């Protein structure tokens, strides 16, 4: 029974503690990947996202995130704060982060930003959420819940960007910390993730722009993750695109600029692995609000 318990924990904890939160529409949620992004939009920006992964699969990940970032007026500094809640199986994790950036002007309208991230992680496991064939099983009934186990972390990133092009390299969590230990073997660890992001904008016509984007994620002990996407912006209002996560999923994306401050986006992932036989896909919905509508200060088109 101990092996069965470890298997459950491997699925519910290790399944994502060795991988940072997964976002399909990362190009709108860059501050969670790279702290140097803080303030780069030129206005105060609020972002809310809900992600339901592998719908129909019991215990599958559900992620909610909220972030706020802005430039500090008449300075080279940017600041931000974000909260991510991940729930998978019997475990919950909350990450509360503060982000700081400093930007230098380069040649040809390019800017170079350096970022630091400070994070407080609160991790919980509730064994009462397990469904047991034998309610009196001693091995499980004796397990102690984990209640808001605290782990601090720090991260860093660089972000090179112009009005139409960006490149970023970051490690959001530099410290590798143990997340669960059953006094015999460590089941899950928080591992260091290296992210590389890139994107550019092409003007196809006066009212149509195209943006290809790339994200790669590298973590020790896991396959290299590569996300490729292409989005069209039509009349500076409608966005439609597709994406492919290498050997993992196909995605359809759409977005709408409701008004100058408000933007809403949605994506649907269809698994490209055998896991597709056990779920009906992944849904992701986000809402962005720009507090100050001085859009002359925002990169155009507003793709990133």
């Amino acid at each position: 029974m101990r092996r069965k318990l470890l298997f459950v924990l491997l699925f519910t904890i290790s399944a994502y503690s060795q991988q940072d939160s997964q976002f399909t529409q990362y190009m709108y949620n860059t501050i969670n990947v790279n702290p140097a992004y803080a303030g780069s939009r030129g206005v105060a920006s609020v972002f809310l996202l809900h992600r339901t992964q592998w719908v129909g699969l019991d215990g599958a990940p559900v992620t909610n995130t909220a972030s706020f970032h802005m430039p500090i007026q008449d300075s080279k500094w940017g600041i931000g704060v974000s909260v991510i809640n991940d729930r998978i199986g019997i475990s919950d994790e909350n990450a509360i982060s503060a982000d700081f950036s400093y930007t230098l002007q380069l040649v040809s309208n390019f800017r170079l930003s350096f970022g630091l991230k400070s994070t407080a992680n609160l991790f919980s496991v509730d064994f009462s959420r397990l469904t047991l064939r034998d309610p009196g099983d001693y091995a499980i009934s004796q397990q102690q819940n984990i209640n808001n186990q605290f782990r601090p972390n720090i991260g860093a990133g660089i972000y090179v960007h112009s009005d139409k092009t960006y490149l970023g390299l970051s490690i959001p969590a530099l410290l590798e910390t143990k997340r669960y230990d059953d006094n015999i073997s460590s089941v899950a660890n928080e591992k260091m993730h290296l992210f590389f992001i890139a994107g550019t904008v092409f003007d196809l016509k006066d009212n149509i722009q195209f943006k290809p984007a790339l994200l790669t994620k590298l973590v020790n002990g896991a396959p290299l993750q590569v996300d490729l996407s292409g989005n069209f912006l039509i009349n500076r209002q409608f966005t439609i695109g597709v994406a492919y996560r290498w050997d993992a999923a196909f995605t359809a994306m759409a977005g709408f600029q409701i008004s100058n401050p408000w933007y809403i986006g949605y994506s649907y992932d269809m698994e490209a692995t055998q896991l597709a036989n056990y779920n009906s896909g992944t849904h992701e919905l986000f809402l962005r609000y720009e507090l100050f509508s001085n859009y002359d200060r925002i990169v155009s088109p507003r793709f990133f």
Side-chain angles (χ1 to χ4, degrees):
M1 177 53 68
R2 191 168 193 80
R3 290 184 180 179
K4 291 182 180 180
L5 174 60
L6 292 179
F7 175 80
V8 170
L9 292 173
L10 278 168
F11 177 77
T12 60
I13 305 173
S14 266
Y16 75 90
S17 65
Q18 293 181 8
Q19 295 288 332
D20 282 354
S21 300
Q22 182 75 56
F23 298 108
T24 296
Q25 298 170 103
Y26 59 86
M27 64 287 294
Y28 302 104
N29 194 32
T30 308
I31 194 170
N32 285 329
V33 174
N34 192 330
Y37 184 77
S40 66
R41 285 187 58 77
V43 297
S45 183
V46 178
F47 185 89
L48 303 172
L49 179 144
H50 173 76
R51 176 181 176 86
T52 303
Q53 189 166 333
W54 303 332
V55 173
L57 184 63
D58 289 343
V62 176
T63 301
N64 292 286
T65 183
S67 65
F68 169 81
H69 67 99
M70 62 177 290
I72 297 178
Q73 189 174 7
D74 300 324
S75 78
K76 299 178 179 180
W77 293 93
I79 57 173
V81 62
S82 61
V83 179
I84 301 176
N85 171 259
D86 264 322
R87 183 169 189 173
I88 175 171
I90 63 173
S91 61
D92 286 275
E93 181 175 10
N94 292 287
I96 305 169
S97 300
D99 299 281
F100 306 90
S101 70
Y102 183 80
T103 300
L104 299 174
Q105 184 68 46
L106 302 178
V107 296
S108 302
N109 296 319
F110 276 87
R111 295 170 290 278
L112 172 62
S113 299
F114 302 91
L116 292 175
K117 181 183 289 288
S118 176
T119 301
N121 285 286
L122 300 173
F123 183 70
S124 300
V125 178
D126 184 358
F127 289 95
S128 67
R129 281 155 48 183
L130 284 173
T131 301
L132 305 178
R133 290 185 178 181
D134 180 5
D137 190 287
Y138 180 81
I140 297 180
S141 63
Q142 294 302 305
Q143 292 295 321
Q144 296 294 318
N145 289 345
I146 301 173
N147 296 311
N148 291 321
Q149 181 188 71
F150 172 73
R151 292 289 186 273
N153 218 314
I154 56 173
I158 57 174
Y159 184 62
V160 180
H161 54 108
S162 69
D163 287 352
K164 292 189 176 182
T165 301
Y166 68 88
L167 298 168
L169 189 67
S170 61
I171 303 177
L174 287 163
L175 304 180
E176 297 191 352
T177 58
K178 186 178 296 184
R179 305 313 307 273
Y180 176 83
D181 192 334
D182 69 345
N183 296 321
I184 294 180
S185 61
S186 176
V187 178
N189 292 291
E190 182 73 19
K191 294 191 175 184
M192 187 167 61
H193 296 64
L194 175 65
F195 289 87
F196 174 75
I197 57 174
T200 191
V201 176
F202 296 101
D203 294 318
L204 302 183
K205 294 184 178 180
D206 290 341
N207 61 343
I208 300 178
Q209 286 82 34
F210 173 65
K211 189 193 82 168
L214 166 72
L215 177 146
T216 64
K217 180 166 63 174
L218 180 63
V219 56
N220 185 32
L224 175 68
Q225 178 180 313
V226 179
D227 284 34
L228 300 169
S229 65
N231 280 285
F232 291 91
L233 178 63
I234 303 170
N235 292 327
R236 298 184 181 273
Q237 190 170 24
F238 298 97
T239 302
I240 188 168
V242 294
Y244 176 60
R245 184 169 303 119
W246 197 265
D247 286 337
F250 296 95
T251 299
M253 297 179 286
F256 179 61
Q257 191 77 43
I258 303 171
S259 63
N260 278 345
W262 292 98
Y263 183 84
I264 189 169
Y266 169 78
S267 70
Y268 173 77
D269 293 1
M270 182 178 64
E271 287 294 315
T273 68
Q274 291 185 357
L275 192 59
N277 297 323
Y278 306 98
N279 74 90
S280 57
T282 297
H283 302 272
E284 193 174 277
L285 179 69
F286 76 83
L287 183 67
R288 185 177 66 197
Y289 177 73
E290 311 285 11
L291 268 70
F292 309 113
S293 57
N294 180 15
Y295 282 95
D296 290 338
R297 299 171 56 200
I298 297 181
V299 294
S300 179
R302 297 188 300 272
F303 253 146
F304 52 86

